[in-house]
Amino acid sequence: MTAALQSDVLVLNKHWRALRIITAAEALADLFVGRVEAVDTDYRSYDFASWHELSAYASAFEPESHSFVRTVTSAVLVPAVVRLRRFDRVTRPTLRLSRKNVYLRDNYTCQYTGQRLPTSELTLDHVVPTSRGGQTSWDNLVCCSVAVDSLKGNRTPEEAGLKLIRPPRRPDATELLFKSRRERHDSWKHFVDAAYWNTELHD
């Protein structure tokens, strides 16, 4: 039960925009008091009473296909998505330029060789070296293998005989949040629009 209560639940505002991620325990508490409604994969909304009925059906006929929080008398489905019943003017988090986020954007893959590597074998490369006027920015930083970075040195990719597999860019916050979660819900993909952040990088 503890694991189920700590699982991720996506929170949408009243207008179906993703706001943040909370635990299932928080989501179920908010559902019980009527602050949110649960949303299923077909975008149907449920208050606590109707969600409890759906839970009873799923527990009886599809118990192995869902995650439940079980009480003495019943089992309640853990929602993947909940929606606030009133508008929430939450300030959206800043998308920070960090090592972690660059690695996530580039899928832990060297942007010169296309090889996916463990973090111990990766580093960040300034496409245009800082000594040549390059900036520490989304469009000048790429995930790079330590070996290739050593080979490239203080040169541009062209000068080093290297070619980027894709040009670096500022990522959409959606993809970073989705990539940063170990547990990924298919039902999130139309809603996710939040940021994952870590230590900000500076020149």
Side-chain angles (χ1 to χ4, degrees), residues 53-66 68:
E53 290 178 8
L54 182 66
S55 298
Y57 177 89
S59 180
F61 298 101
E62 303 171 345
E64 297 180 0
S65 302
H66 303 281
F68 297 91

Side-chain angles (χ1 to χ4, degrees), residues 63-77:
E64 297 180 0
S65 302
H66 303 281
S67 178
F68 297 91
V69 171
R70 298 187 181 277
T71 68
V72 176
T73 58
S74 63
V76 181
L77 282 166

Side-chain angles (χ1 to χ4, degrees), residues 7 15 19 28 41 45 49 51 53 59 68-69 98 111 120 126 136 153 158 167 181 188 192 194:
S7 60
H15 302 297
L19 291 178
L28 289 171
T41 53
S45 298
W51 187 252
E53 290 178 8
S59 180
F68 297 91
V69 171
S98 67
Q111 295 301 289
S120 60
H126 287 80
T136 300
E158 294 76 15
R181 312 312 292 198
W188 285 11
V192 175

